[in-house]
Amino acid sequence: MQEAPEQQLPASTLRDGAGEFFIPDLCATQPVFVMILLSQLMVTVYVLAGSALPTFNWDMFGICSLFVQWVVLLSAALLCQLRSPFSRISLPVATLASLLLVMAVTAFSSWAALQLYPQINAGTEEGWWLLRNLLVAALLAGILLRYFYLQRQLRVQEKLELNSRLDSLRSRIRPHFLFNTLNSIASLIVSRPEAAEQAVEDLSELFRVSLREDQRATTVADELRLCELYLGIEQLRLGDRLRVNWHIDDAAKEQPMPSLLLQPLVENAVYHGLAQLPAGGVVAIDVRLAGGEVQVSVRNPVPSRHSAPHGNQMALRNIEQRVQALYGAGARVVAGMEDDHFLVTLAYSPGAVL
């Protein structure tokens, strides 16, 4: 199964570890070429809208092209130089700073253009002409920054999905999981052949879901089914030591949920929790829809702190990064100790798809 998240975490929301700034390297050839091409297309549309085809205003086309390309290239050069410091501040502040930078370049370029070529404003009052340029620059820069952000989110999501599939592949061939499962199946072949056959089918379905390459949308109900398959296999090994309390809100079942999001939390509860206890225990799984949010909690008993496993917490961070890449920064994963139990809560708004 997917590598289970480790148990020892502080009771606080995990931080985003993607670390990739959403504005691409504007010193590279390809982004600069794309910006030049798009800005030139915008100029062409503007001039076409203001002149007839038989008498295309080539003078306006040349002047506007020079002005726009100057603003675009100067803004790109400054953003390229400031990309590193901007990447160390929060996303809203970096976005606002980028917008203000583009508007400052536009204001300076407009003033310089009026000094060098006074007729560039085509008779429009200088103040209104400058204001118009600033509004156009703010709108276009906002659209471009939003595009860069969505592209970055797509890259992060693709990377996390790939890592999830790779982790799942590696954990599927984890010796102890296969060894324990096959031993359990072998022990049932003579005494309970039907149970052995069902276990083989469940294991096969777990492999199929984990390794599939299609992008079919999955729901909470799909993930609950995956958890049932996993718990059914573990029940063969743990027997009465494994007990599960389900609290499932029917309204939440048809809500979207990324594939292999809930099952790793349940596996964590079994593998790092009650499986380490001689008497076993109860895994409590709660899924509900409240205030437009899908809210999930998985609670399980754990051994004493001295025997509890330690780790780098990468799996839980991966889960949080996946839901944040899909549903925005409002999605969250909180994990920590509660009395003598370990509790993981997951929440996201399905309507907040980026």
Side-chain angles (χ1 to χ4, degrees):
M1 305 308 299
Q2 185 175 11
E3 187 172 351
E6 290 78 8
Q7 287 281 323
Q8 293 299 306
L9 285 177
S12 60
T13 302
L14 299 170
R15 302 299 181 187
D16 179 18
E20 179 186 352
F21 191 47
F22 75 101
I23 296 180
D25 182 7
L26 297 180
C27 292
T29 304
Q30 183 176 354
V32 173
F33 174 77
V34 171
M35 292 177 65
I36 291 175
L37 180 62
L38 291 178
S39 60
Q40 196 59 47
L41 288 174
M42 181 192 69
V43 170
T44 303
V45 171
Y46 173 77
V47 177
L48 281 174
S51 61
L53 282 177
T55 56
F56 185 81
N57 194 335
W58 289 103
D59 290 336
M60 178 183 291
F61 180 79
I63 294 170
C64 290
S65 296
L66 179 63
F67 176 76
V68 170
Q69 296 299 347
W70 170 262
V71 172
V72 168
L73 291 175
L74 183 56
S75 299
L78 292 175
L79 286 173
C80 171
Q81 298 300 316
L82 295 173
R83 185 172 185 267
S84 179
F86 278 7
S87 66
R88 292 192 289 269
I89 58 180
S90 65
L91 178 62
V93 175
T95 302
L96 179 60
S98 301
L99 279 173
L100 292 176
L101 176 63
V102 172
M103 293 180 69
V105 169
T106 303
F108 169 78
S109 301
S110 299
W111 174 82
L114 285 173
Q115 305 305 311
L116 298 174
Y117 194 78
Q119 60 269 39
I120 193 174
N121 59 344
T124 305
E125 185 176 342
E126 292 183 4
W128 288 109
W129 185 76
L130 177 60
L131 179 60
R132 183 196 67 177
N133 291 349
L134 290 175
L135 290 175
V136 171
L139 288 173
L140 294 179
I143 293 172
L144 189 61
L145 290 173
R146 177 63 177 173
Y147 170 77
F148 287 155
Y149 176 76
L150 293 177
Q151 286 291 99
R152 181 258 188 185
Q153 292 294 88
L154 178 61
R155 291 194 300 272
V156 170
Q157 177 64 18
E158 289 174 345
K159 182 178 179 181
L160 292 174
E161 291 290 351
L162 175 60
N163 288 339
S164 177
R165 289 197 294 270
L166 292 175
D167 288 342
S168 181
L169 175 59
R170 286 192 292 267
S171 60
R172 284 299 190 277
I173 61 175
R174 193 171 59 193
H176 86 266
F177 174 77
L178 286 177
F179 181 79
N180 290 336
T181 302
L182 293 176
N183 266 354
S184 299
I185 294 172
S187 67
L188 294 172
I189 289 177
V190 176
S191 60
R192 297 168 57 194
E194 292 182 358
E197 181 181 357
Q198 184 62 51
V200 171
E201 292 176 356
D202 291 348
L203 183 62
S204 174
E205 186 169 351
L206 282 174
F207 272 75
R208 179 183 57 79
V209 172
S210 174
L211 301 178
R212 71 185 176 199
E213 296 294 334
D214 65 89
Q215 299 299 316
R216 181 180 67 85
T218 56
T219 64
V220 171
D222 295 327
E223 290 300 291
L224 290 173
R225 171 59 181 160
L226 200 61
C227 292
E228 291 173 353
L229 292 172
Y230 168 74
L231 290 170
I233 292 175
E234 289 289 19
Q235 191 85 53
L236 296 176
R237 181 170 64 93
L238 298 174
D240 294 338
R241 293 171 58 201
L242 171 58
R243 300 180 296 278
V244 184
N245 282 345
W246 299 90
H247 302 279
I248 310 300
D249 181 0
D250 289 337
K253 289 184 176 179
E254 297 307 314
Q255 296 298 317
M257 175 176 281
S259 180
L260 292 173
L261 194 74
L262 179 57
Q263 183 272 331
L265 299 180
V266 175
E267 181 176 358
N268 177 60
V270 175
Y271 182 68
H272 288 295
L274 62 89
Q276 308 297 322
L277 299 170
V282 177
V283 176
I285 303 171
D286 186 290
V287 182
R288 66 184 66 190
L289 184 66
E293 276 193 339
V294 174
Q295 299 177 353
V296 178
S297 67
V298 179
R299 190 171 185 268
N300 61 275
V302 293
S304 66
R305 287 184 179 273
H306 296 291
S307 61
H310 295 272
N312 58 15
Q313 307 154 13
M314 288 300 295
L316 282 175
R317 289 196 182 97
N318 179 278
I319 290 173
E320 183 173 40
Q321 289 166 16
R322 288 181 66 198
V323 292
Q324 287 187 345
L326 282 172
Y327 303 111
R332 58 197 180 276
V333 176
V334 181
M337 295 298 299
E338 184 180 89
D339 298 328
D340 57 345
H341 286 68
F342 188 75
L343 176 65
V344 179
T345 59
L346 163 70
Y348 63 91
S349 298
V353 178
L354 295 178

